[in-house]
Amino acid sequence: MTKGHVRLADLAKAAGVSQGTASNVFSRPELVREEVRERVLEVARELGYNGPDMKGRLLRAGRVNALGVAAIEPLAYFFEDPWARAVMTNIAGVCDATGTGIALVSAQNQQKLAWNINSALVDGFILLCVEGGEKLVELTRRRQLPFIALAFDDGDASIPTIGIDNTAGAAAAARHLVELGHRQFAILAIGHSDDHVGAVTPEQAIRSLKSTSRDRALGYWQALSEFGIERENVPVHGTRNDKSSVDAALETLFATPEPPTAILAMSDRIALFAMQWLAENGFAVPGDVSVVGFDGVPEAATAQPGLTTIAQPLEEIARRAVRAILDDALPCAQETLGVTLVIRGSTARPRS
Amino acid sequence: MTKGHVRLADLAKAAGVSQGTASNVFSRPELVREEVRERVLEVARELGYNGPDMKGRLLRAGRVNALGVAAIEPLAYFFEDPWARAVMTNIAGVCDATGTGIALVSAQNQQKLAWNINSALVDGFILLCVEGGEKLVELTRRRQLPFIALAFDDGDASIPTIGIDNTAGAAAAARHLVELGHRQFAILAIGHSDDHVGAVTPEQAIRSLKSTSRDRALGYWQALSEFGIERENVPVHGTRNDKSSVDAALETLFATPEPPTAILAMSDRIALFAMQWLAENGFAVPGDVSVVGFDGVPEAATAQPGLTTIAQPLEEIARRAVRAILDDALPCAQETLGVTLVIRGSTARPRS
DNA sequence: ATGAAGATTTGAACCGATTCAAAATCTATC
DNA sequence: GATAGATTTTGAATCGGTTCAAATCTTCAT
């Protein structure tokens, strides 16, 4: 029954028209006389031909109408990591509107990632650079397709990037707490280049933090110093953005004679882990301790209590990124967008 | 700087070999003498040629090494819906292992979906049929690529499907509660063909529920009747799988003289909304009311308290589905997998 | 030196469409 | 009825590779 394979040429012959006309019936129907068009479609139906095959079309046309989103992580990252999910959700929204497809590109080891990036059938890439951004950019660059990096952690201004104002965001977070009356702070950091865990001095932090995290640290310090709180008096603990390292940091912090009344977390993930630890250890949030996160992931809104955080303009980021790829209108310079402080239930005045 | 475009033919000429040899250098290097291979690669580097372009390769070779996952929903569905996310996470895991890419295919209106399905560059499809399964299958069928339907709601045995034993799962959930001593039940349903919201009689439920939901209802009733509780005494409320319709159902239920002490929810999503409503309205879970969900999404494990639920073997489902597509070894018959009762903190004996 | 077997390389066909200049056909105008 | 102009249709080139039978080159025993 199945005729092996019906291709456009077969259809054309069967319908008694040239291949060119047959092609137009599908791709530019307005060019072909209605009568002919209907006949060809009729024959197509009989033959079980369902429109031109993408592989051929694409070869000729050059565009796939899909964009790739890449990260150096297992594929499941896109569905499990809160930030990645939030970004993807917004990208998905923009793609829906423009009818663009999404291909997920990733791998743990570089060998495979290189292959995957090279073989992905897409018109361009959005790079999630939270981990291994440099490698990712390097591999993608080779492909010679438009790409844009998100959360990229490197000064190289030749790389098209959409970022956020980390310093201003962090400053806003710290200012919010200090204005509520807090004076005892602690910072939970991520992004030590050596995955350092535990207390660090400000100098160590400046030296070993990746630029995103360093900017956030600088923002915290800056706002606090405006109120006379010097960085030397604000303990900083490195974490690996996972529960166990956050737990360890908090155990140390709350074993000191003057534990913090306010916690500045460099990610919502960390902040949520912190709130969990506090709840488990009998500290009320925000009664005993206030917590501020960073990123503005959806989970922050649904937590109990809601997490006060610095929200990234993800929708705007997604819109610009997708547009940049599809229109091949990459920003000549790196773009930096503003962030907003979202106040929820996890922050309040300190117990007097 | 950019030489317009370097293609395999250019490289071949520049390196002084035939195009066939140049091709082999990349696709089947073992066929070409090392000396030649290195020279060609060297020239490739000079010319900035980064391996064969996928579009051409694919046209000839026929395989894309990617699979499409499709649903009649906006693209964001894959990242937001708990069940979809759980399924995707598992599919991603399998794909990671086999080096397969994932393309997301979806659209709200059928017109666009048809186009997207036809133009997706994939070797086959996994269909998430929670909504509009029939249409999805019909459109995919036309594409004449291997596909397999998940959560498909139709008897048509000619369609390759991996499903679960809904009746047995529901029965296990009900049995668990009844064995704890509960006697006052309520069922929160989804999947009314007309999106009905509010109380329904068993007859109405049987008539208007889609098959997945009907099977679950039958399972509940069957287990309860073994303990002498007749279906007429178990109120059933339709919901739209969203918070507002769940809230409405619970308000009605708990306004009755004999409110339920145990809730059977047809999805974890509903169950979690229910727990939220109960908390907001001063009912302790499981102290005052026990709740059982269905599906076994990750959120069920992290909720406070943990949600007792019927877990689908998602890993197994994902593994079989991906294998089926990649090996083009579709199950000749529809497969049905077993489910397991996972007991967590949301169920306990009723207050005596 | 000769010839068979094995290793490399070549060349041309092919994958399945789109595209566009040129040819063919139809319409309108005088 | 002839002709310019508009509308359709055709045919061949092209996109960027892969593949495979045939041609060429090596190697080595005879």
Side-chain angles (χ1 to χ4, degrees), chain A:
Chain A
M1 206 88 240
T2 40
K3 277 192 175 285
H5 221 61
V6 190
R7 32 182 193 292
L8 190 60
D10 303 328
L11 169 61
K13 193 155 3 125
V17 298
S18 77
Q19 180 166 335
T21 300
S23 173
N24 284 335
V25 167
F26 294 97
S27 328
R28 306 154 66 173
E30 72 281 5
L31 285 187
V32 33
R33 196 154 38 103
E34 172 158 354
E35 192 185 318
V36 176
R37 195 192 325 151
E38 301 224 313
R39 182 156 45 83
V40 173
L41 287 174
E42 171 62 26
V43 176
R45 218 166 295 129
E46 283 169 17
L47 260 50
Y49 182 81
N50 280 297
D53 182 288
M54 260 346 249
K55 300 195 279 247
R57 156 186 295 240
L58 146 65
L59 172 58
R60 191 68 235 253
R63 275 185 72 91
V64 193
N65 223 45
L67 62 78
V69 186
I72 304 198
E73 299 277 355
L75 272 173
Y77 170 75
F78 295 108
F79 303 98
E80 289 187 317
D81 180 83
W83 184 78
R85 275 178 51 207
V87 172
M88 292 309 299
T89 304
N90 282 283
I91 292 178
V94 184
C95 288
D96 255 332
T98 62
T100 309
I102 296 182
L104 270 18
V105 178
S106 87
Q108 285 165 300
N109 73 67
Q110 287 189 23
Q111 176 90 47
K112 281 199 171 182
L113 184 62
W115 171 260
N116 288 346
I117 288 183
N118 271 333
S119 61
L121 288 159
V122 296
D123 298 320
F125 290 93
I126 294 177
L127 272 27
L128 307 190
C129 294
V130 174
E131 281 301 321
E134 262 114 296
K135 269 292 167 227
L136 199 50
V137 166
E138 187 194 321
L139 293 173
T140 307
R141 202 172 223 167
R142 293 224 189 103
R143 179 77 192 272
Q144 302 189 178
L145 282 179
F147 72 89
I148 190 155
L150 265 33
F152 188 57
D153 229 352
D154 187 320
D156 188 340
S158 73
I159 293 166
T161 285
I162 298 180
I164 55 166
D165 193 338
N166 286 296
T167 309
R175 201 169 295 125
H176 167 59
L177 288 171
V178 89
E179 283 175 353
L180 282 170
H182 290 275
R183 288 298 175 271
Q184 301 291 331
F185 292 86
I187 294 174
L188 296 180
I190 27 170
H192 275 270
S193 47
D194 54 356
D195 258 356
H196 181 91
V197 168
V200 288
T201 66
E203 289 68 34
Q204 286 174 316
I206 289 176
R207 203 167 342 105
S208 72
L209 283 176
K210 297 191 194 160
S211 81
T212 299
S213 302
R214 183 168 48 230
D215 290 346
R216 293 183 185 178
L218 291 173
Y220 292 142
W221 289 329
Q222 176 198 311
L224 294 179
S225 75
E226 286 167 12
F227 290 79
I229 301 170
E230 294 311 319
R231 60 175 68 169
E232 284 69 27
N233 302 320
V234 182
V236 177
H237 276 253
T239 75
R240 279 184 314 262
N241 209 23
D242 63 7
K243 180 141 176 38
S244 68
S245 58
V246 172
D247 286 355
L250 291 172
E251 260 150 40
T252 312
L253 280 168
F254 284 89
T256 55
E258 289 214 326
T261 65
I263 291 178
L264 293 158
M266 285 200 188
S267 79
D268 285 348
R269 205 172 135 90
I270 292 186
L272 293 169
F273 285 140
M275 282 170 59
Q276 204 176 322
W277 184 91
L278 290 166
E280 288 164 8
N281 288 271
F283 295 93
V285 176
D288 299 317
V289 183
S290 287
V291 180
V292 180
F294 208 118
D295 288 342
V297 304
E299 283 82 346
T302 55
Q304 289 297 332
L307 175 64
T308 295
T309 188
I310 302 297
Q312 300 191 18
L314 287 184
E315 197 189 320
E316 178 75 10
I317 292 177
R319 189 185 9 252
R320 291 194 190 207
V322 175
R323 281 283 152 71
I325 301 299
L326 294 185
D327 308 347
D328 201 349
L330 300 176
C332 38
Q334 307 196 335
E335 300 190 62
T336 300
L337 305 180
V339 296
T340 50
L341 170 67
V342 177
I343 301 177
R344 299 208 181 88
S346 70
T347 49
R349 323 189 82 79
R351 196 151 279 174
S352 58

Side-chain angles (χ1 to χ4, degrees), chain B residues 142-166:
Chain B
R142 293 225 189 102
R143 179 75 193 272
Q144 303 191 172
L145 282 179
F147 72 89
I148 190 157
L150 265 34
F152 188 56
D153 229 351
D154 188 320
D156 188 340
S158 73
I159 294 165
T161 285
I162 299 179
I164 55 166
D165 193 337
N166 287 297

